[in-house]
Amino acid sequence: GLAGGHVKFSVAWSSADRMALDNSTDRFFGFQDMAVGTGSPELARYQPRVPEALKDAFSHRWIHSLNTEVRWPEVQRKIAENFEPFLPLQWFLSEFGAYELSQKFIKEDLLAMDGYAKYGKGFVGHSFYQFQVDYRQGSRELKFGLFALGVQKVGDTGDMCDGNDCRKFPVFCLNTTLPWFPKAGRPELNMRAVAVALGWNGNAGNTGRCVSPGQRRRRRVPVVV
């Protein structure tokens, strides 16, 4: 087998309430299922080849995670403040969706999560869902994501190959403006990338951002691949 390294394994569970495998809790069923399933795999009708190796891998190479759309105060109350039975394992938010959250609440929640992660209570951070809006999944998915895809072409990829079929693809700029929010009368939900950047006194302007025609005359936009 491969020698163990520092990379940890995880499963991104739902934050919905469902009964755990051993019927002990419905609050964080996924965390409990992993603890019970590795300690008593027969409950899942599974027979590991080396039971002790499975337990050891869970103890040393596992990190719990879950996806959520709700605000951090609710996650903190429901999960973070009740995580002690699972220590010394850690956990993180694999998808913080910030569904229909205003810039103000996004900034507040990110800073609160960052602060809580410093307390040493098992929570180690989050991943914001997601970098670019997913246009393929319908209107609901437009309410996630930091950047919209612009119309200005900034370059081309190198050869992208599927077997022997190699092609180049256009690369378009990214836009912090999410126009469907203002059109729906919800301007406070716009500019999600800006809200994230402001949480750390930064800004969302960088290479690959969409620029106005006037700005294009003054500056070249490098290719983002």
Side-chain angles (χ1 to χ4, degrees):
L2 297 175
H6 299 290
V7 177
K8 294 191 174 184
F9 298 97
S10 190
V11 169
W13 297 98
S14 165
S15 57
D17 292 337
R18 297 178 185 173
M19 190 55 64
L21 185 65
D22 62 351
N23 296 315
S24 62
T25 180
D26 62 357
R27 182 163 290 180
F28 16 59
F29 70 95
F31 296 0
Q32 181 68 8
D33 282 357
M34 289 304 304
V36 171
T38 54
S40 302
E42 66 276 6
L43 291 177
R45 292 177 291 182
Y46 175 68
Q47 179 59 50
R49 287 180 293 179
V50 186
E52 292 306 315
L54 177 64
K55 295 177 182 179
D56 182 72
F58 179 68
S59 298
H60 295 97
R61 300 203 62 191
W62 184 262
I63 183 168
H64 292 297
S65 65
L66 60 84
N67 301 339
T68 187
E69 299 178 1
V70 302
R71 289 202 61 196
W72 167 249
E74 182 175 345
V75 177
Q76 180 180 341
R77 175 187 58 80
K78 182 178 178 181
I79 305 295
E81 294 177 358
N82 296 282
F83 188 75
E84 186 174 357
F86 301 102
L87 292 172
L89 293 181
Q90 299 173 315
W91 72 287
F92 69 102
L93 288 177
S94 41
E95 285 186 5
F96 176 59
Y99 182 72
E100 291 194 330
L101 292 189
S102 67
Q103 294 181 37
K104 174 180 180 295
F105 286 147
I106 288 176
K107 179 181 176 181
E108 287 180 0
D109 282 9
L110 295 183
L111 291 177
M113 284 189 279
D114 188 53
Y116 195 89
K118 297 174 182 177
Y119 291 160
K121 295 183 178 181
F123 179 68
V124 295
H126 76 282
S127 174
F128 197 94
Y129 180 75
Q130 55 189 341
F131 183 74
Q132 183 191 302
V133 170
D134 187 349
Y135 293 89
R136 302 169 301 171
Q137 300 298 321
S139 59
R140 191 176 189 277
E141 286 295 315
L142 296 179
K143 298 178 181 180
F144 299 103
L146 297 176
F147 295 96
L149 187 62
V151 297
Q152 299 163 10
K153 181 181 175 182
V154 296
D156 295 279
T157 67
D159 284 332
M160 310 289 287
C161 299
D162 181 6
N164 294 324
D165 181 17
C166 296
R167 307 180 187 183
K168 291 180 171 62
F169 295 90
V171 176
F172 294 92
C173 64
L174 296 174
N175 202 335
T176 53
T177 299
L178 308 173
W180 42 90
F181 287 129
K183 288 180 180 178
R186 303 292 302 278
E188 74 278 5
L189 304 184
N190 195 14
M191 309 292 282
R192 289 161 63 89
V194 173
V196 172
L198 288 176
W200 284 270
N201 298 315
N203 67 79
N206 210 323
T207 56
R209 276 281 310 282
C210 299
V211 295
S212 67
Q215 288 175 308
R216 287 205 301 275
R217 287 194 294 270
R218 295 191 299 269
R219 132 189 187 202
R220 296 182 64 189
V221 180
V223 173
V224 178
V225 178

